[in-house]
Structures are given as C-alpha cells and as structure tokens.
Amino acid sequence: MSMKCSPIPGGTVTSPRGFVAGASYAGIKVKGDDPLDLGILYSEVPCAAAGVFTTNRVKAAPVLLCQERLSKGRAQAVVVNSGCANACTGNRGLADSAMVADLVARKLGMPPEEVLVASTGVIGVPLPIERIRTGIEGIALSQDGGHRLARAIMTTDTFPKEIAVRTEFGGKEITIGGIAKGAGMIYPNMATLLAFLTTDAALETDLARTALRKAVDESFNMIAVDGDTSTNDTVLLLANGLAGNQRLQAGSAEAKVFQETLGEVCSYLAKCIARDGEGATKLLEVKVEGALTLKEARLAARTIASSSLVKAALHGGDPNWGRIIAALGRSGAEIDLSKVDLYLMDLCLFRRGCPMPFDKDEASGTLSGAEVHIGVCLNLGGESAIAWGCDLSEEYVTINSAYVT
Amino acid sequence: MSMKCSPIPGGTVTSPRGFVAGASYAGIKVKGDDPLDLGILYSEVPCAAAGVFTTNRVKAAPVLLCQERLSKGRAQAVVVNSGCANACTGNRGLADSAMVADLVARKLGMPPEEVLVASTGVIGVPLPIERIRTGIEGIALSQDGGHRLARAIMTTDTFPKEIAVRTEFGGKEITIGGIAKGAGMIYPNMATLLAFLTTDAALETDLARTALRKAVDESFNMIAVDGDTSTNDTVLLLANGLAGNQRLQAGSAEAKVFQETLGEVCSYLAKCIARDGEGATKLLEVKVEGALTLKEARLAARTIASSSLVKAALHGGDPNWGRIIAALGRSGAEIDLSKVDLYLMDLCLFRRGCPMPFDKDEASGTLSGAEVHIGVCLNLGGESAIAWGCDLSEEYVTINSAYVT
C-alpha cells in the first residue's frame, strides 16, 4: 500500500472533523504583545485517548491527573494554561488541577473525568484559580480555534507550532492535526513540554496508545535543546472516530498508514521545537547509520545533537568534527573508531577512523545556512536513527538567566 | 589518629622530595602572552604509579600509551603538551606519542617505558614532532619547575591550578603535590582533562591505584562544567618513596591519613577546575544528603550541578529553585518529593515537598557572591555527596563557538 498523505495549508489541531478550540488571556503569564495563556480543546464526541508523559520523578499535578484519567482511555476535552506549571505545589496543586477540569466540564456540560489538564510555566507557584475561572468563561470555541490554542501554550517559543495532514484509507478521508510548544527544558526523555494531537480516525484505545508511543519515540524523544527534562511534559492523542472509517485494527495495512501519518505530524512538530530551541539560530539534524541496535543508533544521534560543545561550535560555524567524535565516543553506543565515517553536510571529514583533508572555509561555509546536517556511519550493523537539535547561542544563556525575576 | 595536614605556601607538583619539572614553548599552541605548551615532570628515582583515564570510547593516543605502560605500575617521568590532543590520529598518533616518550627518555637517560605521555588540545591534528623535539631539548628541569609545568598544560584555563600539602606519619614528613587543568569538556565521568599528583610517600602500586581511584571519585568525578567528556582525560599519581616512611599498607592508619590527604589535594584542584569552567563567574557547590545510597547521592548532586537551566539561573542571580527540583527529579536518584528539603545558601526554599515563602531580593542577593551553595536533603537514608560546578554564561558560548577557527 503506497502512502497518500498531504499537509493541509493552515492546518492545525482543529482540522480533523469535530474538534473545536479556543483561548483567552487570563493573566497567568506576564502580558506581552497579543497575549493568550489559557485554552480549551474539545471534541463533539468522546474520544479514544492516550498520553505520554515526563519521565521526571517530580511530576506536576496536571500530569498526575492526566495519568489517572487516561487509565480509562477516554477523554473529550483538554484545558491548558501557560505561565504556571502547577508543579511542586503539593495537594493543593492536585485539587487546583481537578478544579480547572471541573470548571471546563461545567462550561461544556460534560463529565469532569473526561477533561484532561496540562500546564507549563514557572514551577512552585499555585494556579491563580479565580483568574482561570474568569478566563474559562471568556473562551469561545470555534473550528479554527486551534491557531489561538497553539499560541496560548507558548512560553519562550518564538512561533506557534501547528500542522494537519490528510490521508485516506478504505475510501475514507482521515485527518491528523497537532500543535506543540517547546523552547527550553527539551530533552530526549520526553522532550516536548506539550503536544496535543487530534484525529477523526476511529481506533481502539490500545492502538492509540501503541501508535502514540512509537511516534513519540521517533520524534519528540529524538530532540534535544538542553539536558533538562521538564516536570510537565505531556503528549496527548485524541481520536474521535468522526471520519467514519472502520475501526482500525492493530497490524492492519490501515493501521500502518495511520502510524506513518501520525509519525509525520510528530516529526514535523519535533523539528519545529528543535528549530525554536531557546536562543537557537540553526536546526541541527544528526543521522546515525550502521549501528548494531536501534537503541544505540538513537543514543549516539541524541548524544551528538545535545552536546554543548558541538552545539556551540555549530553556532560559530566551526567545523570542529573532533567534538562530534568525542560526543559519539561518550554516548555509550558500541563503536569501532577505525570504521567510523563522518559527514558534515556533504563533506566527508573523517573516513574509517582517519581525518580527511578539507578546506576549512568551505566547511565553515556549509554551516552558514539555517539547517546543519551531521551524518555518522558506524559501519557495524543495520540500524539507524535521526535526532534533531539546535545550536547553542549566547542568547540561550540570556533567556535562561532571567526567567523568574 | 587525628589528621595533621597543612597546605604549603606556593606548593606545587614539585614540592614533594625528588621531583623536578620544567616547560618550554614548542609552538604547538597559538602563541599568547608568556606561552608554554610542553613540559616534563621527573622523579630522581622510579615511582609506584597509577592512572585514571577518560571513559570515552574514543581514547587519544597518549591515553592508550599510558594505560599500557601503567599495567606494570611504575613510571619515572611524564611529558605533556597542550595545543594538540593527538586524538583520532590513528596509528600515526600512537607512534608519535611513543616517539615523544623516547625523546624524553633519551634526554633523561632512562628507559622509555617509564615515561608517561599526556596531551590536550584540538582533536584530529597530528603532533608536530619536530617542534616537540626542539622543545624537549630546551626544557630545563628544576625543583620549582612545577609552576611552569602547571602553566604549560593550560588551554582555555584562566589560571594555573596547583597545590601541595604536608602531613606526617610514623615521625616522617610526607608531601603530596598536584597540578591540574580543566576549563571545557568537564564532566563527572572522568572530569579532569589533566591532573598530575606526586608524593614522596612510599607505597605499593596497588595502594596507589585504589587510593587514586577513591580520591578521583570524590573530587574530579564530582565536577561538571558541561556535559562533554574528553578523549584525553588523565589523572596520574607518582609516588617515589623518598620520604623514607615505612611502605604504606592498605587498611593501616597511615594509609587512611594518606587517603584523606590525597583527597584534599584532589578536591582542591577539582574545585579550582569548576571555578575556572569556561566562562564561569561563580563556583557552585551542591550537597545532597539523606540519600539511600552513595551512588544516588552522587548522581543527584552531579545532575543538579550540571543542569544548564540551573547554571543559567545562577548566572542571572535568579533563585529559581524549581529548576533544581526538576534536575533532582530527572537524576535517577530515588526521591519522595514530600520529604525533600532544599536550601539556597542558608535560605530554606522548599521543605518537605512544599514551597516556602521567601524574599526574592534577599534570595537573589545571596547569589551575588563568588560561591553559591545548594543544599538538598532527601530525608530517605544516610548517604551524602558533594558536587561542584559553575554558572553558565554567555561567555561559555563565545569561547566555544570559535575554538579551532
């Protein structure tokens, strides 16, 4: 079965049938230009739902609430705020997240246990519940509300990240949409901060869970901005079935198409997050081939993409391949240096363990664009992986040295 | 047995009896003010010798040479250069390192297999052997040559790191000296780049090995500047026995004093390295107490000390304790958030899982000094560990985005 999948111009999380969204400014984050900090995503009908969450042992209240509610595999709405993480807020934080869900359930006339909650922002500060109550009242849901929702979840992001893609199986048109936010605290082990994925495809909760896990492993878990993992990282998938397709069965050709399409949506959003890493000026793509195992290919690609020294060298347009080899060497992946090939863009700088002569100005020139590709072939086995990151700039430090104060 | 240990004013690696050193400028690194890039450390008599090396799978030629030569547990001289790492240089690199050792052996009239070699600098460039030959000829060894040697191993270090400490056992005065270089590519798993330790104590090679390993684990392996591990990290200990003490026996009271004194020397040098991290303006000390295991205490302390977000917050004087808790949570150490206490200097910001009210200006004020102390008590067990790091400044990026070019 060949793949039929095309991006929808201006597509977003409300592009799939039956999804609406809206956002307002509740005064949770500091007011900037055109501010939004609170939003709702809603499906006209209940959805099969799955989530992937932070691996941090310190989990924010909304993460704990989602994990509990998703044990049933169903949801119909998501409420999200930026500006306050509601993390390290104890029992009060849990009660606050449940209260926010209640307010949304009341507004939409639905059971509170089918409302999921997400938060991002400063740790250790309680949610301003009264402002959120007023903010929720002010939210108008609409079919193009996904764009406002994408803006409402931004913190230090410089642009909203959204996409929708259409595909077809069994004569039914299927849409998958998504939005995400990233910027800081982005790392392989649950990398996203927040991503919300929607589809009108009909599928079982189990399939939603396995498909989401696989898509996340190949996308959000393969990006690195800094080494930090948030307390709030949350990826949610809601599938409402309004496309009218026959319910997808695991292992079917249709499920495979769904998996690939979901993977494309997630990879697009993951790359947007890497490109928009705090202070980033370049997208870094690292492809590792010829690894003995998939795990090692991923480990090697992520370690290179997250090396401070590699990232700083790229920022300066410095073809310092020794730092790439050093990162590869400490990644934990099995390597035999005498078999390693290394490419920077199309230039081979290192072949079978030996430095290759190259023109430094030419190499530096290839690093001047908005995307830098590093290719490593270990020549040991057949597994490969791609990781995305960004350069490390002075601006990253400036952003992160004055966040709270 | 109470400890008698005092630092020697102006002490260095040649303070213990029988050690001499010298350095010259061979033209390996770019000429700065008052440049030195090649040095020799020599003991009048052969030493019991031990080494700890990088865990990177890509090991530079001098590391491989040292590892082989130290299998016999003896050495009498070390030759070291900065400006060129002699890493990723294949068989030629191995031959070059052996050649450098040969040149030194000929100069000093000793067997080449008792000469150890260390290099630091740019990866992937061969050693300029002819310049090194001339440089070695020009080195004059002297009893206060340790100071020049400490300068010769510097790369982006801003000050030489050296110390000597005197203690006594069995009526014999014992001296331990050391020098180190650090700056970039500093991380817990072999953190040092280079450190050379000398003592006139008499001890068996086995004791030298175990004592060095323990001292390194508690000092150089507890510092973090960035997440990168060098291909060249090397810590060497040479013990020449000229103090005339009865040979130290493992498990004896004297061996314990030796271990503690060696630990002090290593901790001092490790802190110097952290304080002089590339672009650093502050020393960060993280103490984790109440952990279930020593491994977890170390893991937690190192993860906090190496978090880019924590480091950037400290640089800006921002008491953003949420980032400390988030780093703790992802460290892998067992924690129960409802039992965690967190201190920034003397201020308790978080007690038993709950944020404590604090004055932001006061908290920010405590971060304005040259040393910042973070204290975490997990209240789970009896193990503790201290890690050292530094803040992350714009200057780190500036330094690392223009190293080769």
Side-chain angles (χ1 to χ4, degrees):
Chain A
M1 178 183 238
S2 77
M3 195 158 163
K4 276 185 178 172
C5 149
S6 54
I8 300 170
T12 182
V13 74
T14 47
S15 296
R17 262 154 291 195
F19 287 97
V20 290
S24 67
Y25 178 64
I28 310 166
K29 71 182 176 195
V30 177
K31 194 164 189 160
D33 310 334
D34 184 26
L36 293 170
D37 57 13
L38 186 66
I40 297 173
L41 172 66
Y42 175 69
S43 167
E44 290 168 10
V45 297
C47 303
V52 177
F53 301 94
T54 183
T55 56
N56 199 309
R57 292 196 186 210
V58 178
K59 295 184 204 312
V63 168
L64 296 171
L65 191 81
C66 281
Q67 287 181 320
E68 188 201 321
R69 293 190 171 178
L70 281 172
S71 63
K72 294 198 183 119
R74 278 170 60 92
Q76 193 170 355
V78 180
V79 54
V80 55
N81 73 276
S82 55
C84 173
N86 193 15
C88 300
T89 44
N91 287 332
R92 173 176 171 181
L94 288 169
D96 284 349
S97 278
M99 167 68 84
V100 171
D102 282 357
L103 292 169
V104 169
R106 219 167 300 160
K107 177 186 177 87
L108 300 174
M110 55 171 290
E113 60 273 17
E114 297 207 351
V115 180
L116 302 177
V117 181
S119 296
T120 176
V122 180
I123 293 174
V125 177
L127 284 176
I129 286 291
E130 285 314 310
R131 291 182 186 193
I132 289 176
R133 185 194 305 272
T134 311
I136 287 173
E137 283 166 9
I139 293 176
L141 299 175
S142 70
Q143 217 240 298
D144 66 353
H147 300 305
R148 283 173 67 84
L149 188 65
R151 281 163 43 211
I153 61 177
M154 289 163 62
T155 52
T156 50
D157 301 65
T158 65
F159 60 87
K161 295 149 188 79
E162 37 190 343
I163 186 178
V165 164
R166 199 167 276 146
T167 186
E168 196 195 299
F169 33 77
K172 301 288 184 183
E173 191 181 81
I174 301 289
T175 305
I176 302 180
I179 59 173
K181 72 148 309 262
M185 277 199 169
I186 302 303
Y187 196 62
N189 288 311
M190 253 326 289
T192 322
L193 286 200
L194 303 179
F196 305 128
L197 306 161
T198 54
T199 181
D200 46 22
L203 62 163
E204 298 293 344
T205 296
D206 280 355
L207 184 58
R209 284 178 178 148
T210 54
L212 182 63
R213 163 54 64 192
K214 180 166 161 56
V216 166
D217 278 346
E218 291 170 358
S219 58
F220 301 115
N221 279 351
M222 292 304 290
I223 59 178
V225 172
D226 50 38
D228 283 283
T229 306
S230 153
T231 51
N232 288 59
D233 297 335
T234 299
V235 184
L236 300 174
L237 170 63
L238 274 66
N240 68 12
L242 291 179
N245 62 299
Q246 208 179 343
R247 201 163 291 269
L248 292 181
Q249 300 298 323
S252 66
E254 288 79 9
K256 187 158 175 275
V257 173
F258 179 79
Q259 181 74 63
E260 283 170 6
T261 311
L262 184 66
E264 293 216 357
V265 167
C266 291
S267 291
Y268 174 85
L269 293 172
K271 278 201 263 188
C272 285
I273 290 172
R275 194 187 299 275
D276 197 22
E278 284 171 344
T281 68
K282 294 174 202 293
L283 175 70
L284 168 60
E285 181 169 302
V286 179
K287 183 168 193 177
V288 171
E289 296 178 287
L292 281 176
T293 65
L294 178 60
K295 193 179 161 196
E296 288 174 295
R298 287 179 175 169
L299 198 57
R302 295 195 308 201
T303 304
I304 294 168
S306 60
S307 158
S308 292
L309 287 172
V310 169
K311 288 149 51 88
L314 292 180
H315 182 63
D318 179 357
N320 193 326
W321 59 265
R323 293 182 180 175
I324 301 170
I325 294 287
L328 174 67
R330 73 173 161 85
S331 69
E334 185 67 40
I335 63 166
D336 173 348
L337 192 62
S338 70
K339 292 186 176 171
V340 172
D341 299 333
L342 171 70
Y343 290 82
L344 199 58
M345 308 303 279
D346 292 329
L347 284 175
C348 182
L349 303 187
F350 194 76
R351 191 190 301 276
R352 304 280 161 157
C354 290
M356 302 289 288
F358 66 96
D359 183 288
K360 265 187 194 161
D361 291 339
E362 185 191 352
S364 187
T366 65
L367 303 179
S368 60
E371 291 203 10
V372 171
H373 293 234
I374 292 174
V376 172
C377 191
L378 302 179
N379 291 304
L380 291 177
E383 296 294 337
S384 65
I386 298 176
W388 299 279
C390 60
D391 57 333
L392 175 62
S393 72
E394 288 87 346
E395 185 67 10
Y396 172 88
V397 180
T398 306
I399 291 169
N400 282 298
S401 55
Y403 184 56
V404 165
T405 44
Chain B
M1 181 180 235
S2 77
M3 195 159 164
K4 276 184 180 172
C5 149
S6 54
I8 300 170
T12 182
V13 74
T14 46
S15 297
R17 262 154 291 195
F19 286 96
V20 290
S24 67
Y25 178 64
I28 310 166
K29 71 182 176 194
V30 178
K31 194 163 188 160
D33 310 334
D34 184 26
L36 292 170
D37 57 13
L38 185 67
I40 296 173
L41 173 65
Y42 175 70
S43 168
E44 291 168 11
V45 296
C47 304
V52 176
F53 301 94
T54 183
T55 56
N56 199 308
R57 292 196 184 209
V58 179
K59 295 186 206 310
V63 168
L64 296 171
L65 191 82
C66 281
Q67 287 181 321
E68 188 201 321
R69 292 190 171 177
L70 282 171
S71 63
K72 295 198 184 119
R74 279 170 60 93
Q76 193 170 354
V78 181
V79 53
V80 55
N81 74 276
S82 54
C84 174
N86 193 14
C88 300
T89 43
N91 287 334
R92 173 176 172 183
L94 287 169
D96 284 349
S97 278
M99 166 69 84
V100 172
D102 281 356
L103 292 170
V104 170
R106 219 166 301 160
K107 176 186 177 87
L108 301 173
M110 55 172 288
E113 59 275 17
E114 296 206 352
V115 180
L116 302 176
V117 181
S119 297
T120 176
V122 181
I123 294 173
V125 177
L127 284 177
I129 287 290
E130 284 314 309
R131 292 183 186 192
I132 289 176
R133 184 193 305 272
T134 312
I136 286 173
E137 284 167 8
I139 292 175
L141 299 175
S142 70
Q143 215 239 301
D144 66 351
H147 300 304
R148 283 174 67 85
L149 188 65
R151 282 165 42 213
I153 61 177
M154 289 164 62
T155 53
T156 50
D157 301 66
T158 65
F159 59 88
K161 294 150 189 76
E162 39 190 341
I163 186 178
V165 164
R166 199 167 278 145
T167 186
E168 196 195 302
F169 33 76
K172 299 288 182 183
E173 190 181 81
I174 300 288
T175 305
I176 303 180
I179 59 173
K181 70 149 311 258
M185 276 201 170
I186 302 304
Y187 197 61
N189 287 310
M190 254 328 288
T192 322
L193 286 202
L194 303 179
F196 305 128
L197 306 162
T198 54
T199 182
D200 46 22
L203 61 162
E204 298 293 344
T205 296
D206 279 354
L207 184 59
R209 285 178 178 148
T210 54
L212 182 63
R213 164 54 65 190
K214 181 165 161 53
V216 166
D217 279 345
E218 291 170 359
S219 59
F220 301 115
N221 279 351
M222 291 305 289
I223 59 177
V225 171
D226 50 37
D228 284 281
T229 305
S230 153
T231 51
N232 288 61
D233 297 334
T234 299
V235 184
L236 300 174
L237 170 63
L238 273 66
N240 68 12
L242 292 179
N245 62 297
Q246 206 180 346
R247 202 163 289 269
L248 291 181
Q249 300 299 321
S252 67
E254 288 79 8
K256 188 159 173 273
V257 173
F258 179 79
Q259 181 75 64
E260 283 170 6
T261 311
L262 184 66
E264 292 215 0
V265 168
C266 291
S267 291
Y268 173 85
L269 293 171
K271 278 202 263 188
C272 284
I273 290 172
R275 195 188 298 275
D276 197 22
E278 284 171 344
T281 68
K282 293 174 202 296
L283 175 70
L284 168 61
E285 182 169 301
V286 180
K287 183 167 194 180
V288 172
E289 297 179 285
L292 282 175
T293 65
L294 179 60
K295 191 179 163 197
E296 289 174 296
R298 288 179 174 168
L299 198 57
R302 295 195 307 200
T303 305
I304 294 168
S306 60
S307 157
S308 291
L309 288 171
V310 170
K311 288 149 51 90
L314 292 180
H315 181 63
D318 180 356
N320 193 326
W321 58 265
R323 292 181 179 174
I324 301 170
I325 295 287
L328 174 67
R330 73 173 161 84
S331 69
E334 186 65 40
I335 63 165
D336 173 347
L337 191 61
S338 71
K339 292 186 176 170
V340 173
D341 300 333
L342 171 69
Y343 290 82
L344 199 59
M345 306 304 278
D346 292 329
L347 283 175
C348 182
L349 303 187
F350 194 75
R351 192 190 299 276
R352 303 281 160 159
C354 291
M356 302 290 287
F358 67 95
D359 183 287
K360 265 187 194 162
D361 291 338
E362 186 192 350
S364 187
T366 66
L367 302 180
S368 59
E371 291 203 11
V372 171
H373 293 235
I374 292 173
V376 173
C377 190
L378 301 179
N379 291 303
L380 290 177
E383 297 294 338
S384 65
I386 298 177
W388 297 281
C390 60
D391 57 333
L392 175 63
S393 71
E394 288 86 347
E395 186 67 9
Y396 172 89
V397 180
T398 306
I399 291 169
N400 282 298
S401 54
Y403 185 55
V404 166
T405 45

